[in-house]
Amino acid sequence: GVYFVTQNPADIPDSVLAQLGNRIQHALRAYTPSEQKGLKAASQSFRVNAAFDTAEAIQGLGVGEALVSVLDEKGAPTIVARTKIRPPASRLGPATDAERAAIMAASPVRGLYDQVLNRESAAEILANRHGAADQAAAQAKAQVEADKAAQLQAKADEKAAQAQAKAQAQADARAARATATPARRSTRETPIEAMTKSVLRTAGSTLTRELMRGLLGGLKRR
């Protein structure tokens, strides 16, 4: 809870003072007009008790006495009561090991918190979700890149197939033209043909000379 500790109720704003559930008011002396005003405000913050005057009771409280008002089971403030305050029974200093063990053994929640559990924190859950989202995004990006590479490869394969088909068509066309055109006879002479022509020319020349010689010789004898 939230506790406000002050010697003068005027130190606490009215909007806060009206919401306080438990009130413990020790002795308050009022000599000046401002102190009397604070005393009046303090007394009016309690539910009236017909057994005594609240303002006078606040000024007459002794050591260890206080006016107390708490919330009942329905949440309503109880009528102010004058009571004795029990002095604290605490000790300044840490508890001994035996005292700590005895308190832990008598605790109603013994065994519930003995084992240390490192549960998954909200930060870890969010980090895991963020990591899963990043992984999914990376996989989607990789899939897109793979699809793009597959499309580029398909286009390259298609171009290669078209080029191969074009080259094959050109080769088939050349073969068809070669088959349709008759083969030309070669004009080059073989060695045998050349030798035969040379022999015939030589023989013809010799025969011609002999004939001419015979004709000329006959004319001379006449």
Side-chain angles (χ1 to χ4, degrees):
V2 180
Y3 296 87
F4 295 93
V5 180
T6 178
Q7 292 182 345
N8 191 345
D11 295 338
I12 303 175
D14 293 340
S15 58
V16 177
L17 189 63
Q19 301 180 49
L20 297 180
N22 301 329
R23 292 181 174 85
I24 300 175
Q25 178 67 55
H26 291 279
L28 185 62
R29 310 298 180 225
Y31 301 105
T32 64
S34 60
E35 290 177 346
Q36 292 177 1
K37 184 177 180 180
L39 174 63
K40 183 178 180 181
S43 62
Q44 290 178 350
S45 64
F46 291 98
R47 285 186 62 184
V48 178
N49 190 337
F52 57 87
D53 183 83
T54 304
E56 293 180 359
I58 292 176
Q59 297 183 82
L61 292 174
V63 177
E65 290 183 327
L67 296 182
V68 178
S69 176
V70 297
L71 297 179
D72 59 14
E73 62 276 4
K74 295 182 179 180
T78 59
I79 296 175
V80 62
R82 187 169 182 171
T83 183
K84 295 284 187 179
I85 301 298
R86 183 177 179 179
S90 60
R91 181 184 66 214
L92 295 178
T96 63
D97 295 339
E99 292 173 340
R100 186 179 298 106
I103 294 173
M104 293 174 62
S107 175
V109 294
R110 178 186 177 186
L112 297 178
Y113 304 101
D114 294 346
Q115 184 179 1
V116 178
L117 298 178
N118 186 14
R119 292 186 174 89
E120 189 176 15
S121 64
E124 293 173 341
I125 294 175
L126 294 177
N128 292 335
R129 291 180 181 176
H130 187 66
D134 291 343
Q135 184 178 3
Q139 291 178 353
K141 183 178 180 180
Q143 184 63 36
V144 170
E145 292 178 353
D147 294 341
K148 186 182 295 184
Q151 292 177 359
L152 294 176
Q153 184 63 36
K155 290 181 180 179
D157 294 342
E158 184 179 359
K159 288 183 179 180
Q162 291 176 355
Q164 184 177 3
K166 184 177 180 181
Q168 184 64 36
Q170 292 176 353
D172 294 342
R174 287 195 298 269
R177 287 196 300 270
T179 303
T181 304
R184 295 182 180 179
R185 186 175 180 180
S186 178
T187 57
R188 298 181 61 183
E189 296 179 348
T190 63
I192 297 175
E193 292 176 346
M195 185 177 63
T196 302
K197 289 181 178 181
S198 178
V199 171
L200 291 176
R201 282 196 299 270
T202 303
S205 298
T206 303
L207 180 59
T208 301
R209 284 196 302 269
E210 292 297 330
L211 290 174
M212 291 299 294
R213 188 178 298 173
L215 290 175
L216 291 175
L219 291 175
K220 288 180 179 181
R221 284 194 297 271
R222 289 179 182 178

